[in-house]
Amino acid sequence: MTAALEMTRLGYACTLLEARGSAGGRVLTLRAGDVVNEVDSSQSCQFDFDEDLYFNAGPSRIAQHHESLLGYCREFGVKLEAFTNDNRGAWLHSPGAFDGQPQVARRLLADTRGGIAELLSTAINQDALDQALTEADKANILAMLRQFGDLDINNSYSGTPRAGFPGQENVGGRQRGELLPARRLQDLVTEFFWELRLSFSQGFDQQPVMLQPAGGMDRIARAFESRVVDDIVFEAEVTEVRKTADGTRVIYEDRSGTSSTLEADYCIVTIPAPVLAGIANDFSAAHQAEIAGFQYSSAVRVAFQAPRFWEREHNIYGGITWTDQDITQIWYPNHGFQRETGILVGAYIFDGAAGNRFTDMPPATRIDTTTAQASNVHPQIRDQASNGISVAWKKMPFQRGGWGMSNPSVLLTADDSIVFAGEHLSILPGWQEGAILSAYSAIDQIVDRDRGA
Ligand SMILES: Cc1cc2nc3c(=O)[nH]c(=O)nc-3n(C[C@H](O)[C@H](O)[C@H](O)COP(=O)(O)OP(=O)(O)OC[C@H]3O[C@@H](n4cnc5c(N)ncnc54)[C@H](O)[C@@H]3O)c2cc1C
């Protein structure tokens, strides 16, 4: 849709062929009554009808520097609100650590920083670093480390109010004035899991502040759609992409199987590679080989409707709890705070064996497995979560994967009059911003050619 919008602005006439009955592709927001048709199952969304009860089964967050996407939001008037990745009041959980008890992120983070700061202070004070530090450097770094880790005047770490207080520490603790015992750094870093998850929001694309459209991610797709809708042919499944003497020919079928043909000077192919691999074409052998070998993630999401026990009982408002069980993440809604119910994402699996295991399960088994694993973190889920629904992206027709995981090369160049685009062919795979940037690159290729550049 980005390519069509901007090409139209440049004076080109465009036609979009979209296999489904609505536009947006992976930008899928589920609400009451929506239906999820995977290749071998069908689910219907049983959430209550309510503007806050939606599930972004695909994209959910936008980095503050995804400026092309955010620019369209500004232009289209799509209202944005904050999205929280890093909630210090959310938890980390591993069945094999701390007797399987979830640990509140603030405590792990405070103790990790305290331990690192104490260790480095000790080394500096013992002149144990190879690097030569002046006395002024040492004093400055020691002062910074005292702040960084909340060390005492002797540069020791023995706990901090930053970690919360004793007495129901997973809700913040109520015995202010007393400190929680400091955990030793050595004990915290034995598990790669803690380190990895505590660092998640350090990533350039995951840093606070993140954003989300109010009302669901598909608000953006709908805004795009309304601007190009006159040029979209819905339920037009492309079955062949051919080269002609002076351009391209695309064959597509409607729902009844009736074929139509469209001839054009250029064709921008944004079909995900696993789907494209099954479509008859005249691409070069090198383009075909790269399409056939392109790997996609086996991302899976599972969501429930539930009364907001996480807010009422645990003071968790948005953000992510991490677990090293297959379900990987529990996401709390970042909107509709303190309403009676909300949509809880009970599992968000990026990829790997866990993603494949969940993809292979029938939807009912995904719900049962998510309920069992998520209940190890929040026992309330077993009795209070209902109306579960899941999306396994490798089983979604016209997608067949979460996001591209191969490094593109040949597909970045046009094959005669056929140009390729999509998130998988960008420097930001797995992001909407990447899909937009790849559309810009496709447009550049066409415009340069028309200008004889
Ligand atoms: C679980 C998950 C989480 C994500 N999280 C985020 C996030 O938080 N933030 C973010 O910015 N991005 C996120 N993404 C990535 C984002 O969704 C994608 O990068 C982006 O939507 C891809 O856009 P696209 O146009 O390249 O592909 P798509 O959206 O897949 O569009 C391809 C289109 O081609 C159509 N099509 C396929 N086959 C045919 C055919 N034969 N004939 C006609 N039409 C066809 C499809 O129906 C679809 O409309 C996430 C993705 C997933 C799956």
Side-chain angles (χ1 to χ4, degrees), residues 80-92:
L80 297 169
E81 59 193 11
F83 175 98
T84 302
N85 264 339
D86 184 351
N87 178 351
R88 304 293 162 84
W91 301 347
L92 289 94

Side-chain angles (χ1 to χ4, degrees), residues 18-19 25-26 58-61 236 238 348 398-399 402 422-423 430-432:
E18 169 52 56
R26 271 165 277 184
S60 318
R61 53 190 158 205
V238 171
Y348 177 17
F398 309 119
Q399 310 291 166
E423 55 81 25
W431 293 97
Q432 295 165 98

Side-chain angles (χ1 to χ4, degrees), residues 99-143:
D99 297 327
Q101 291 305 305
Q103 302 295 302
V104 67
R106 70 169 69 85
R107 184 173 182 194
L108 289 171
L109 198 66
D111 287 348
T112 304
R113 287 171 71 108
I116 291 169
E118 184 181 81
L119 204 63
L120 185 52
S121 301
T122 307
I124 290 172
N125 280 329
Q126 291 175 350
D127 290 325
L129 301 179
D130 288 342
Q131 192 184 356
L133 296 174
T134 65
E135 288 308 310
D137 290 340
K138 283 187 191 173
N140 288 338
I141 296 172
L142 287 170

Side-chain angles (χ1 to χ4, degrees), residues 17-20 22-27 57-62 66 69 217 236-239 270-272 275 279 299-301 331 348 393 397-399 401-403 421-424 428-433 435 438:
L17 299 176
E18 169 52 56
R20 301 193 315 157
S22 65
R26 271 165 277 184
V27 186
S60 318
R61 53 190 158 205
I62 304 172
H66 286 183
L69 181 62
M217 188 59 87
E237 180 180 347
V238 171
T239 54
T270 64
I271 296 173
V275 181
I279 293 177
V300 178
R301 282 215 181 131
W331 283 23
Y348 177 17
W393 284 94
F398 309 119
Q399 310 291 166
W403 48 83
E423 55 81 25
H424 58 300
L428 278 174
W431 293 97
Q432 295 165 98
E433 180 78 2
S438 82

